[in-house]
Amino acid sequence: MIIKKPPMGWNSWNTFGGEVCEKVIRDTADAMVELGYKNAGYEYVVIDDWWSERKRGADGKIAVNKEKFPSGMKALSDYIHSKGLKFGMYSCAGTMTCGGFPASFEHEYEDAQMFADWGVDYLKYDFCYKPMHAVGKLLYNKMSMALKATGRDILFSACNWGADDVETWIRSTGAHVYRSTGDIFDHFESVKFIAQSQFDKINYSATGCYNDMDMLICGMYGKGLVAKGGCTDAEYKTHFAMWCLMQSPLMIGGDITNMNDYCRNLLQNKGLIAINQDEDGRPPMMVNWNKDRPVFFKHMANGEYVLALFNLSDEDGMVGCEFFDIGVSADHGFDFVDAISGEKIGVVSENLYETIPAHDCRVYRGKFVRV
């Protein structure tokens, strides 16, 4: 299985945590279709931790919690597939999941087959309770091989939180996605910390194995498991724009059955999603090294370019660059549109500087032209 674009979908953890259940998953699948998320490209519905009983069953398999999932995982998988969506599950490389439930250490092949039998299309594989002398690279390679042995195409999401210099070796294990950070929380300082932690690792993410900066918090507004005060609309916009630019998987963590219009439209923004899903999969170039006011430049598959300006600082300020620093001579420039609003900006040459409010951003897309 080869993935050419970062996966898009929804994960239960950020909002529901241990309250995840069959109704939540079915309602979310319905909403993904009815509210336009599927048409925008979101296709995976992923159950995170807390879906099983505390002990394996008498047959040695992980036992599904029947109170939470009375129909069983195969029936739920069939329901999600009937919607034209894909079904995702969660396990862990350690002896227990992060919530203390049975995990897949030394059970990789039997658990992989169980997931395949259920019709699973995506596996998030966490890193809690890993024995001290067990090597992460080996554990992820083992589960990757186990998934392939089932004969089913299952997207493998390696969630080791950026430990062990994961970006330097994870592609070799066959994983399709790798978590490069700790957990995200619903406040801007968490968004900023995660984004800045990845600026020097941009070029490890590419077609076939994408850097996962954790799930999206857009639309949570201080509600849910990872709530820490929430964000403003502008902060959610900056968060989503940065994740799109950095080619992170777009896994919604908010409750899409109860999302306001602003964040629903943001999460379905065609201009930003097109940047994330560009078929070339080229990472952006960091034009400057001001981590609070970074500028990025990205080549697109159709010959266009993206210039993105972020103000991650707590004060309004000037953000921009000289075009010489991205290889443009004075007799050339860009015919830009605003990638978020679609507004035509026109031809810009030599440089671009703007006063951007704190925690906000500007993203432009356009063609290279002679002036």
Side-chain angles (χ1 to χ4, degrees), residues 228-243:
K228 296 289 183 180
C231 293
T232 66
D233 288 349
E235 289 169 346
Y236 285 134
K237 178 180 69 174
T238 295
H239 164 44
F240 188 62
M242 181 69 78
W243 265 233

Side-chain angles (χ1 to χ4, degrees), residues 111-332:
D111 288 356
Q113 188 59 56
M114 176 185 70
F115 292 135
D117 292 343
W118 287 345
V120 167
D121 305 295
Y122 182 114
L123 179 67
K124 176 182 173 182
Y125 203 51
D126 223 329
F127 207 48
C128 289
Y129 298 103
K130 177 187 75 69
M132 183 182 303
H133 297 295
V135 179
K137 183 176 182 179
L138 170 62
L139 296 180
Y140 282 104
N141 191 64
K142 189 174 183 180
M143 178 52 87
S144 179
M145 293 177 67
L147 292 172
K148 290 177 180 177
T150 69
R152 182 175 179 81
D153 282 343
I154 300 176
L155 190 151
F156 186 32
S157 174
C159 179
N160 89 325
W161 329 314
D164 304 331
D165 297 319
V166 61
E167 70 277 359
T168 65
W169 52 261
I170 192 63
R171 185 178 294 270
S172 68
T173 70
H176 303 104
V177 169
Y178 67 96
R179 264 281 292 283
S180 56
T181 73
D183 288 356
I184 196 169
F185 294 94
D186 183 22
H187 62 96
F188 190 73
E189 283 305 307
S190 178
V191 171
K192 177 179 177 178
F193 176 81
I194 287 175
Q196 291 179 334
S197 75
Q198 299 308 299
F199 289 171
D200 61 349
K201 301 174 182 177
I202 292 172
N203 290 311
Y204 286 102
S205 181
T207 300
C209 188
Y210 287 100
N211 177 6
D212 180 2
M213 294 162 60
D214 205 7
M215 293 163 285
L216 298 164
I217 54 169
C218 302
M220 295 189 68
Y221 295 104
K223 298 178 180 178
L225 181 69
V226 302
K228 296 289 183 180
C231 293
T232 66
D233 288 349
E235 289 169 346
Y236 285 134
K237 178 180 69 174
T238 295
H239 164 44
F240 188 62
M242 181 69 78
W243 265 233
C244 285
L245 182 73
M246 301 282 274
Q247 303 180 125
S248 180
L250 300 180
M251 302 300 291
I252 300 169
D255 181 2
I256 64 172
T257 69
N258 190 30
M259 189 78 67
N260 70 11
D261 290 344
Y262 176 84
C263 282
R264 183 175 68 253
N265 291 332
L266 174 65
L267 289 167
Q268 296 182 26
N269 184 279
K270 293 181 179 180
L272 291 176
I273 290 174
I275 293 170
N276 179 265
Q277 297 287 293
D278 185 66
E279 63 184 21
D280 262 13
R282 295 185 185 277
M285 172 195 305
M286 194 166 182
V287 180
N288 66 3
W289 280 98
N290 183 336
K291 284 196 168 186
D292 283 343
R293 294 176 181 173
V295 176
F296 298 92
F297 182 71
K298 178 179 172 67
H299 293 245
M300 300 288 285
N302 66 351
E304 292 187 341
Y305 300 91
V306 173
L307 186 67
L309 291 61
F310 292 87
N311 184 0
L312 305 180
S313 74
D314 297 331
E315 297 180 356
D316 299 355
M318 189 75 74
V319 186
C321 70
E322 298 293 327
F323 286 178
F324 175 87
D325 293 326
I326 51 177
V328 180
S329 58
D331 59 348
H332 284 78

